[in-house]
C-alpha cells in the first residue's frame, strides 16, 4: 500500500514538472536611473532570460519578487 502511494506521488511530481526556485533567486533587484523605465524593462527581461536558462522555460515573472530601485541624482 505504501509503495503504491509513493509511486503515485512520484508520477504526479513528474507530470507537473515541479520546479524549485532557490531562495537566493526568488527576489530580483533592478536598479536604474530615474526616467529610464525602458532600461529597467530591458534589465528585467535580461534577468528573466537567465532564470529561464537555469530553471526552465515554464517560469514567469510572477514566480519572482521583482524590486525596482530608482536612482535619483542632482
Amino acid at each position: 500500500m505504501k509503495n503504491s502511494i509513493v509511486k503515485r506521488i512520484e508520477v504526479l511530481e513528474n507530470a507537473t514538472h515541479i520546479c524549485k526556485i532557490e531562495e537566493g533567486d526568488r527576489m530580483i533587484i533592478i536598479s536604474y536611473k530615474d526616467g529610464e523605465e525602458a532600461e529597467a524593462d530591458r534589465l528585467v527581461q535580461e534577468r528573466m532570460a537567465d532564470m529561464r536558462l537555469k530553471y526552465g522555460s515554464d517560469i514567469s515573472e510572477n514566480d519572482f519578487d521583482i524590486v525596482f530601485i530608482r536612482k535619483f541624482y542632482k
Side-chain angles (χ1 to χ4, degrees), residues 2-68:
K2 187 175 183 180
N3 288 337
S4 173
I5 293 172
V6 171
K7 287 184 180 184
R8 288 180 186 180
I9 291 173
E10 288 175 356
V11 168
L12 287 173
E13 287 176 344
N14 291 335
T16 58
H17 303 289
I18 294 173
C19 176
K20 181 174 168 109
I21 299 171
E22 295 176 12
E23 190 172 331
D25 289 338
R26 290 183 191 156
M27 182 177 287
I28 298 174
I29 299 173
I30 304 294
S31 61
Y32 65 99
K33 292 181 182 178
D34 183 37
E36 295 186 8
E37 285 77 17
E39 175 71 10
D41 291 338
R42 185 189 67 75
L43 292 171
V44 168
Q45 295 306 319
E46 190 175 283
R47 183 74 172 137
M48 288 304 301
D50 293 341
M51 293 293 109
R52 286 187 181 99
L53 286 175
K54 186 173 183 178
Y55 294 109
S57 62
D58 59 338
I59 62 169
S60 70
E61 291 180 14
N62 296 331
D63 297 325
F64 299 89
D65 294 325
I66 301 175
V67 177
F68 292 95

